[in-house]
């Protein structure tokens, strides 16, 4: 469109009418854009593929992580198929029915129209490969065991590791392993202590000077997630306390 024609089209002498395309993409184009490259991800998938992946990365979780990734791609692919089925019409087929088989528009339509069969085949292939890998007990990958917990070391003159010397009474040792702050006046604490004449003991308690004891009150999901992370870490401290307590009691029973 020339400048003159554009101006006349706007019916405003001397001004240019906005020139734009208002043609919506076809259902085939939408499908092809959404699924580009997905089917190719399943070309090499097999039990051997997962075993080689595990060996190459030295990560026993790599096949599982790859499977979860591919399941996500299958979900994207299936949604694109459903969207195509919901939006394609007889008019779309009429546009390509007389085109030669080599025409890209006909190829694209047929690819979208028959996609469910290939989707089912890829899903079946992924499932079979994962089962093949999961039940392979040949031990193809030698992954070193993670290091165990550090040995419990108690300083001379104390009965609890990490005792700061701030004892509640003579002969009592104590050490805080972790805490969750509620505000400036309240917290949740995991502590180990050993009173004179008694076995080492673990205790989870709240320290609350001027608070109603509520750990968290919020309408913000992000704050709840942060608190969940704190509890997760705090649970690890409680588990650590159990391990230390077990080692201390075994030591003192000798």
């Amino acid at each position: 469109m020339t400048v003159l024609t554009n101006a006349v089209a706007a019916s405003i002498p001397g001004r240019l009418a906005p020139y734009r395309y208002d043609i919506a993409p076809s259902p085939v184009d939408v499908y092809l854009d959404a699924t580009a490259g997905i089917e190719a991800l399943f070309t090499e998938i097999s039990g051997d593929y997962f075993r080689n992946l595990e060996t190459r990365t030295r990560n026993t979780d790599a096949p599982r992580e790859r499977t979860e990734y591919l399941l996500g791609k299958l979900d994207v692919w299936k949604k694109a198929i459903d969207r195509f089925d919901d939006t394609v019409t007889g008019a779309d087929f009429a546009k390509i029915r007389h085109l030669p088989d080599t025409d890209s528009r006909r190829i694209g339509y047929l690819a979208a129209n028959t996609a469910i069969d290939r989707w089912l085949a890829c899903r079946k292939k992924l499932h079979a490969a994962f089962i093949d890998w999961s039940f392979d007990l040949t031990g193809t990958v030698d992954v070193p065991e993670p290091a165990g917990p550090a040995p419990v070391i108690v300083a001379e003159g104390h009965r609890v590791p990490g005792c700061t010397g701030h004892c509640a009474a003579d002969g009592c040792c104590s050490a805080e392993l972790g805490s969750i702050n509620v505000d400036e006046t309240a917290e949740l604490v995991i502590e180990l202590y050993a009173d004179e004449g008694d076995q080492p003991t673990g205790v989870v308690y709240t320290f609350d000077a001027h608070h109603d004891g509520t750990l968290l009150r919020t309408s913000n999901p992000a704050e709840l997630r942060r608190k969940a992370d704190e509890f997760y870490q705090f649970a690890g401290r409680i588990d650590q306390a159990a391990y230390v307590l077990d080692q201390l009691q075994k030591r003192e029973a000798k």
Side-chain angles (χ1 to χ4, degrees):
M1 181 178 286
T2 65
V3 171
L4 178 60
T5 307
N6 202 9
V8 173
S11 299
I12 306 176
R15 293 192 60 184
L16 298 181
Y19 185 72
R20 65 184 181 185
Y21 290 98
D22 290 325
I23 301 174
S26 70
V28 173
D29 290 336
V30 173
Y31 168 82
L32 294 177
D33 287 343
T35 61
I38 293 180
E39 188 175 354
L41 296 174
F42 296 83
T43 302
E44 298 181 355
I45 294 301
S46 66
D48 286 339
Y49 171 88
F50 282 144
R51 281 184 283 274
N52 292 335
L53 178 64
E54 186 180 19
T55 302
R56 185 174 69 253
T57 61
R58 296 187 60 79
N59 177 10
T60 56
D61 288 329
R64 193 179 307 277
E65 293 167 357
R66 184 64 176 175
T67 298
E68 291 174 355
Y69 169 78
L70 292 174
L71 287 174
K73 290 298 183 180
L74 283 174
D75 184 56
V76 171
W77 190 2
K78 184 59 165 59
K79 288 178 180 177
I81 293 172
D82 292 342
R83 183 167 54 245
F84 172 81
D85 290 340
D86 290 340
T87 56
V88 72
T89 65
D92 295 307
F93 176 69
K95 294 177 182 177
I96 60 95
R97 64 184 302 176
H98 300 300
L99 295 175
D101 292 342
T102 56
D103 192 286
S104 61
R105 290 168 293 177
R106 184 178 180 88
I107 293 173
Y109 179 89
L110 293 176
N113 199 46
T114 60
I116 189 63
D117 295 331
R118 298 192 305 282
W119 181 87
L120 289 170
C122 287
R123 186 181 68 168
K124 182 178 180 180
K125 186 177 183 181
L126 177 61
H127 179 264
F130 185 79
I131 293 298
D132 182 14
W133 168 78
S134 297
F135 285 89
D136 184 357
L137 304 180
T138 58
T140 55
V141 179
D142 182 19
V143 178
E145 291 293 330
V152 175
I153 301 175
V154 181
E156 185 69 27
H158 295 275
R159 298 179 60 203
V160 171
C163 178
T164 60
H166 298 286
C167 303
D170 292 341
C172 175
C173 286
S174 65
E176 180 181 308
L177 271 67
S179 65
I180 297 177
N181 292 325
V182 179
D183 57 24
E184 295 180 354
T185 63
E187 59 183 340
L188 182 66
V189 182
I190 170 65
E191 183 180 83
L192 288 173
Y193 74 91
D195 206 352
E196 188 175 10
D198 292 331
Q199 285 189 329
T201 304
V203 58
V204 180
Y205 66 92
T206 56
F207 174 78
D208 188 0
H210 308 289
H211 198 270
D212 63 2
T214 302
L215 287 176
L216 178 64
R217 181 182 288 109
T218 180
S219 58
N220 186 343
E223 290 188 18
L224 287 172
R225 292 190 182 97
R226 281 195 293 270
K227 186 59 65 178
D229 289 340
E230 289 181 3
F231 271 115
Y232 180 80
Q233 296 173 13
F234 190 69
R237 295 299 184 180
I238 295 177
D239 187 63
Q240 178 189 359
Y243 170 76
V244 173
L245 196 63
D246 179 64
Q247 297 301 306
L248 291 176
Q249 291 178 354
K250 288 179 179 177
R251 181 197 302 267
E252 297 194 358
K254 292 182 180 179

